[in-house]
Amino acid sequence: MDHNQLKTFAAVAYTGNLTQAAERLHLSQPAVSAQIKSLEQKLDTALFTRTSSGMTLTPAGQVFLPEAEALLQHHHRLDCFAKTLSAHRITHAEIGLIHPVDPDKTTRLTRAVLQREPDILLHIQYGMSGEIEERILSKQIHGGFFLGPVTQRSLNSIWLEDIHYTLICPASEAETLSRDGSALNRCAWIEMSGVSGSRKNMQQFWRRHKIKPKHQIICDYPQTIIDLVCAGTGVAIVPASKAEAAAAAGKPLAVLDEYRQTLPMHFVYLNEHENDPVVQLLTGCLNEVWNL
């Protein structure tokens, strides 16, 4: 069974879209379509139903997918084993980190990884949830933290904790906003860009409270968001721990407790890398740090 055909089949199955699968695989759409057609001819059965909205698995495709995933996992495990044969091998581990992760837990995770593998080359890189997800899907990193529900079929996830969020506003506007929720419509809202895990949650929050912001400001750095609120620029939803720390430090902001909410935080990685030694190392250390 051709390994590239299996990768292409899995990518189309996960995305349900030839164009998205082609982008993920760094191939042209005709090349992806040709590989799927060749695989279907080899198996003498249709694996997908083509529709106006994309590609859906046929019953045969649904049965074939877990077998293809198992073969991809085995191929990856063999590739990892082959790398251990080199006398000059250095184990690399790439982790995607997002801002809501507690810095103390990041330190403890790093210490746990190095205690188990002292010679490992550990690369911790920041990003927002959507960016981390894309780096995992394109195999640039082994795994990473993700905020919000995990919907990608190609990803395994480990729930770590719920991150509590709250609405903050300039201290001078706290009384007005607490008394009249409709006043939130007149505020400028400071939010992160679309690849952040909290963006979709923000839009759901607006719908739930019937808010139509008059103005939005996009800012991807959490501390700057808090500083902008303190300066009277607008309101924002931020992790409760950061809001409380800023208030305790005497920053001129107020926490509107009636607007608290939570988002789940996971660690995610490709399901075909389930048996990757580096992934197993990372998940083992995560279990230790988060007491799972």
Side-chain angles (χ1 to χ4, degrees):
M1 190 69 67
D2 185 275
H3 178 250
N4 288 326
Q5 288 179 344
L6 291 177
K7 286 201 303 182
T8 301
F9 165 72
V12 176
Y14 295 146
T15 62
N17 185 284
L18 285 174
T19 301
Q20 292 179 19
E23 291 174 353
R24 183 177 299 181
L25 296 167
H26 305 292
L27 297 172
S28 67
Q29 184 174 325
V32 170
S33 183
Q35 287 197 23
I36 294 298
K37 183 177 180 180
S38 176
L39 181 60
E40 289 179 325
Q41 289 175 343
K42 182 178 294 185
L43 297 174
D44 194 26
T45 189
L47 298 172
F48 294 98
T49 299
R50 280 76 170 171
T51 68
S52 58
S53 59
M55 309 276 285
T56 59
L57 287 168
T58 63
Q62 292 174 359
V63 172
F64 185 65
L65 180 58
E67 298 299 324
E69 290 173 333
L71 287 171
L72 289 170
Q73 288 179 5
H74 180 74
H75 184 277
H76 182 73
R77 187 163 60 250
L78 182 62
D79 185 53
C80 290
F81 172 73
K83 291 176 181 177
T84 67
L85 301 178
S86 170
H88 305 290
R89 178 182 70 95
I90 297 177
T91 301
H92 293 248
E94 292 84 15
I95 306 174
L97 190 64
I98 58 178
H99 287 290
V101 181
D102 183 343
D104 178 63
K105 288 183 177 177
T106 301
T107 301
R108 289 164 55 197
L109 176 63
T110 301
R111 187 183 303 121
V113 170
L114 295 177
Q115 284 177 344
R116 296 192 187 193
E117 285 284 345
D119 297 326
I120 199 168
L121 179 57
L122 184 61
H123 181 189
I124 301 172
Q125 48 186 274
Y126 263 107
M128 286 176 284
S129 291
E131 295 171 327
I132 298 301
E133 181 182 61
E134 186 53 42
R135 291 174 202 169
I136 295 170
L137 292 173
S138 60
K139 301 182 180 180
Q140 298 176 47
I141 61 178
H142 289 93
F145 295 88
F146 185 88
L147 191 63
V150 180
T151 58
Q152 279 282 350
R153 291 181 60 177
S154 57
L155 295 178
N156 284 346
S157 64
I158 300 172
W159 176 85
L160 299 174
E161 61 182 293
D162 287 329
I163 303 296
H164 300 279
Y165 278 76
T166 191
L167 181 64
I168 60 173
C169 69
S172 59
E173 298 180 25
E175 184 177 347
T176 299
L177 295 177
S178 294
R179 184 176 64 251
D180 179 15
S182 65
L184 289 169
N185 285 294
R186 300 190 293 273
C187 296
W189 284 75
I190 308 165
E191 59 174 322
M192 289 188 163
S193 55
V195 291
S196 71
S198 59
R199 176 68 179 272
K200 185 180 294 185
N201 184 64
M202 173 82 85
Q203 294 170 337
Q204 292 172 346
F205 175 89
W206 288 338
R207 287 194 295 270
R208 188 163 60 249
H209 294 280
K210 299 179 181 178
I211 296 170
K212 295 181 179 179
K214 71 166 188 175
H215 183 57
Q216 293 165 247
I217 300 169
I218 306 298
C219 178
D220 290 334
Y221 192 65
Q223 187 55 54
T224 300
I225 291 176
I226 292 175
D227 291 341
L228 288 171
V229 171
C230 292
T233 306
V235 300
I237 293 179
V238 300
S241 60
K242 295 184 182 297
E244 291 160 1
K251 296 281 187 179
L253 60 79
V255 175
L256 302 179
D257 287 321
E258 59 267 38
Y259 296 107
R260 284 182 178 268
Q261 53 193 311
T262 61
L263 277 176
M265 185 174 70
H266 301 85
F267 185 82
V268 296
Y269 57 92
L270 283 173
N271 56 24
E272 69 180 84
H273 293 177
E274 176 76 41
N275 297 311
D276 185 310
V278 172
V279 170
Q280 292 181 337
L281 168 66
L282 295 176
T283 55
C285 293
L286 284 162
N287 288 334
E288 178 183 325
V289 173
W290 266 265
N291 297 315
L292 301 178

